[in-house]
């Protein structure tokens, strides 16, 4: 019996790891890309670091908002795949790609046409806006490839192919960093300065989207491009997709907009403080996303269990992934703290004051990383898998808009605490969000959710 229990445990760990590790590695590589660009432009001084970080935060708001479509596609794809409804899978993916491409073209247009004005409008200083305008223009164009890649990656994970997006991300990252360095400093290629990093991102994101598209529809033949043929089919496919995608997009907008707003408040202190914050925040992302694979594993494994009608299996995966998240948050939080030792070597031209403040911010954030990982698993993984998108919205709105940002504004700008008042406010934000997420997670009716899936006949059979 003991050996049997050990085999079951090992099997569970293996299933989580098969999804979580490739996904986490993929997201780590993406964050290393952003951090690598900061290191490269960091050789130009503190102002370019602040400008690139501010522009990245602005494009990040849109990217994660629209990429929520990838999360919703991933959930529905996992349910369709788990239930053997391949016809439904084809249509969900096809509609999601069309919608993602259309919205991205419209939104990116504003950033491409008026980058300086948009940066100024959102709170950047004159110097930051002038330095980051060209970088923002090319980064906005790169959003097209990034969003399509997010949708395609969500499908690959749901059908048990999480390594394919990881491989595509790794080789395009190598191209990005080499091209960025060459364009920023004019090695072999024309010298473009800060804008060169944006051009490199555009090239690498486009290559990644093309690679994943070819694998999805041609070489691997995971799905076929297939649109509904009559009105009822359109409704059957679009309704669940957008019932998930619209609230998810809203909550991602609230969350990412809140993160951007923290940067705007910090910008009011000084460009140097913003540079330190961007260094610490971007490096933190590398270690936070080391645990993001657990949230994706939740959507995939719980989604498959729901699609196959197994309530016990769905709730068991919830418990396993929450427990794993505690260990992951503690381990990567400790590694994040240790990474502060590298700043004098990576950002030697940023100045000692910028480096010292960034080290302090890293150590502060490392202490609460386990809370952030817990929130990520609950919000992105468990609540979305349980179709409680409203709970995610409540948590993000209460955490950021009701607690965190008002407190950051007061403590950061109207007390001697300055940047440390803003960091205290961010802790309060995470704690308030955790309270809401935990409460909502306990209220999910998994039996009702499973019943709603199993009583719906596959589209192909109707």
């Amino acid at each position: 019996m003991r050996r049997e229990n050990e085999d079951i445990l090992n099997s569970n760990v293996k299933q989580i790891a098969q999804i979580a590790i490739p996904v986490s590695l993929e997201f780590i590589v993406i964050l290393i890309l952003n951090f690598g660009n900061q290191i490269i432009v960091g050789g130009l001084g503190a102002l370019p670091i602040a400008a690139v970080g501010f522009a990245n935060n602005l494009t990040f708001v849109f990217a994660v908002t629209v990429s929520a479509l990838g999360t919703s596609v991933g959930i529905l794809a996992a349910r369709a795949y788990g239930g053997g409804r391949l016809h439904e899978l084809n249509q969900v993916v096809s509609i999601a790609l069309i919608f993602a491409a259309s919205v991205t073209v419209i939104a990116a247009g504003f950033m491409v046409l008026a980058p300086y004005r948009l940066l100024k409008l959102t709170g950047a200083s004159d110097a930051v806006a002038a330095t980051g305008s060209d970088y923002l223009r090319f980064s906005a164009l790169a959003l097209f490839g990034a969003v399509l890649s997010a949708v395609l990656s969500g499908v690959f994970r749901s059908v048990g192919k999480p390594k394919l997006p990881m491989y595509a991300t790794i080789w395009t990252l190598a191209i990005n960093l080499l091209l960025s360095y060459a364009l920023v400093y004019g090695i072999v290629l024309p010298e473009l300065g800060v804008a060169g990093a944006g051009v490199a991102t555009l090239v690498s994101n486009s290559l990644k989207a093309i690679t994943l598209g070819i694998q999805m529809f041609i070489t691997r033949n995971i799905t076929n491009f297939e649109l509904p043929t009559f009105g009822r089919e359109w409704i059957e496919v679009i309704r669940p997709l957008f019932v998930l995608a619209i609230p998810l997009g809203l909550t991602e907008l609230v969350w990412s907009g809140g993160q951007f707003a923290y940067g705007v408040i910090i910008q009011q202190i000084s460009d140097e403080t913003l540079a330190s914050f961007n260094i610490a925040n971007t490096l933190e992302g590398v270690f936070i996303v080391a645990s993001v694979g657990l949230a994706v594993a939740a959507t995939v494994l719980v989604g498959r269990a729901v699609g196959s009608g197994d309530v016990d299996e769905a709730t068991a995966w919830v418990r396993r992934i929450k427990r794993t998240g505690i260990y992951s948050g503690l381990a990567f939080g400790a590694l994040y703290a240790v990474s502060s030792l590298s700043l004098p070597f990576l950002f030697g031209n940023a100045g000692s004051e910028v480096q010292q403040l960034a080290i302090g911010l890293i150590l502060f954030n490392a202490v609460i990383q386990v809370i952030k990982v817990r929130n990520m698993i609950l919000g992105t993984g468990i609540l979305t898998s349980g179709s409680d998108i409203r709970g995610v919205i409540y948590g993000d709105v209460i955490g950021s808009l009701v607690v965190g940002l008002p407190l950051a504004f007061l403590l950061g700008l109207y007390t001697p605490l300055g940047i440390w008042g803003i960091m205290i406010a961010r802790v309060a934000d995470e704690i308030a969000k955790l309270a809401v997420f935990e409460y909502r997670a306990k209220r999910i009716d998994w039996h009702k959710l499973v019943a709603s899936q199993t009583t719906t006949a596959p589209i192909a059979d109707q």
Side-chain angles (χ1 to χ4, degrees):
M1 178 63 71
R2 181 178 177 181
R3 180 59 182 272
E4 182 179 346
N5 290 336
E6 290 179 353
D7 290 342
I8 293 174
L9 176 60
N10 291 335
S11 175
N12 293 334
V13 171
K14 183 178 180 180
Q15 289 184 68
I16 294 174
Q18 284 176 337
I19 298 172
I21 292 177
V23 172
S24 291
L25 287 175
E26 178 189 352
F27 278 87
I28 287 173
V29 168
I30 292 172
L31 266 294
I32 288 175
L33 164 63
N34 290 335
F35 193 63
N37 278 336
Q38 283 199 344
I39 294 173
I40 291 170
V41 301
L44 303 176
L47 180 60
I49 295 175
V52 168
F54 198 96
N56 280 340
N57 288 339
L58 186 58
T59 56
F60 179 73
V61 172
F62 173 78
V64 298
T65 300
V66 179
S67 294
L69 189 64
T71 303
S72 62
V73 169
I75 294 170
L76 295 176
R79 293 177 183 176
Y81 187 75
R85 302 187 296 272
L86 300 183
H87 179 55
E88 177 183 336
L89 176 64
N90 293 341
Q91 295 184 343
V92 167
V93 175
S94 301
I95 291 176
L97 287 172
I98 292 174
F99 179 78
S102 302
V103 172
T104 304
V105 168
I106 295 171
F110 293 100
M111 301 183 201
V112 172
L113 295 175
Y116 177 83
R117 185 173 300 178
L118 189 57
L119 286 169
K120 284 289 295 176
L121 184 64
T122 51
S125 66
D126 290 336
V128 167
T131 304
S133 291
D134 287 337
Y135 176 82
L136 177 60
R137 179 178 284 113
F138 290 110
S139 295
L141 291 172
L143 285 172
F144 188 78
V147 171
L148 292 183
S149 295
V151 174
L152 293 170
S153 295
V155 179
F156 277 119
R157 296 168 196 141
S158 296
V159 300
K161 305 287 184 182
K163 292 182 180 180
L164 296 180
M166 179 188 70
Y167 294 147
T169 301
I170 289 173
W171 79 264
T172 53
L173 167 73
I175 291 176
N176 182 287
L177 293 180
L178 291 173
L179 190 58
S180 179
Y181 189 78
L183 290 172
V184 169
Y185 295 105
I187 300 175
V188 180
L189 299 174
E191 182 178 348
L192 301 180
V194 172
V199 174
T201 300
L202 170 60
V203 172
S204 63
N205 282 359
S206 300
L207 288 175
K208 180 179 177 180
I210 292 170
T211 300
L212 292 177
I214 292 173
Q215 291 177 319
M216 178 67 69
F217 295 107
I218 301 176
T219 59
R220 300 282 180 167
N221 197 26
I222 303 296
T223 65
N224 296 316
F225 191 85
E226 177 184 354
L227 295 176
T229 55
F230 54 87
R232 184 166 174 265
E233 269 197 332
W234 278 93
I235 295 173
E236 292 289 343
V237 176
I238 289 176
R239 182 190 295 134
L241 179 63
F242 287 98
V243 163
L244 284 172
I246 292 175
L248 276 174
L250 176 60
T251 190
E252 293 290 1
L253 177 61
V254 171
W255 175 77
S256 60
Q259 302 308 302
F260 179 73
Y262 282 117
V264 172
I265 295 173
I266 292 170
Q267 166 77 97
Q268 307 311 306
I269 299 176
S270 72
D271 289 347
E272 290 74 19
T273 303
L274 179 61
S276 297
F277 173 77
N278 285 336
I279 291 171
N281 204 45
T282 306
L283 186 56
E284 180 186 27
V286 174
F287 292 93
I288 281 285
V289 299
S291 303
V292 75
L294 294 174
V296 176
T299 63
V300 173
L301 296 173
V302 175
R304 289 178 186 172
V306 169
S308 64
D310 194 334
V311 177
D312 292 336
E313 186 69 4
T315 55
W317 281 123
V318 168
R319 292 192 301 271
R320 294 165 191 153
I321 293 172
K322 286 170 67 176
R323 183 170 58 249
T324 306
I326 296 174
Y327 303 130
S328 179
L330 291 172
F332 286 107
L335 290 175
Y336 175 44
V338 172
S339 73
S340 64
L341 299 174
S342 67
L343 295 195
F345 305 98
L346 297 177
F347 295 96
N349 292 333
S352 60
E353 292 185 4
V354 170
Q355 294 173 27
Q356 291 302 316
L357 179 55
I359 290 173
L361 295 175
I362 288 173
L363 296 177
F364 186 96
N365 285 326
V367 175
I368 63 166
Q369 187 156 134
V370 67
I371 298 177
K372 294 182 179 182
V373 170
R374 182 76 164 193
N375 280 335
M376 181 173 61
I377 291 173
L378 287 169
T380 305
I382 294 171
L383 292 181
T384 53
S385 297
S387 295
D388 186 15
I389 311 302
R390 185 179 298 177
V392 184
I393 296 174
Y394 288 161
D396 284 330
V397 168
I398 292 173
S400 294
L401 303 186
V402 177
V403 177
L405 288 173
L407 198 58
F409 184 78
L410 292 174
L411 294 179
L413 302 182
Y414 294 97
T415 75
L417 291 172
I419 181 63
W420 299 111
I422 296 172
M423 302 310 294
I424 291 171
R426 295 188 75 190
V427 174
D429 177 338
E430 294 294 335
I431 292 174
K433 189 182 301 180
L434 178 62
V436 175
F437 285 171
E438 290 283 9
Y439 173 74
R440 297 293 299 197
K442 293 178 181 178
R443 290 167 50 89
I444 296 176
D445 189 339
W446 293 102
H447 288 85
K448 182 177 179 180
L449 180 63
V450 167
S452 71
Q453 296 296 307
T454 56
T455 56
T456 302
I459 290 177
D461 298 335
Q462 293 180 354

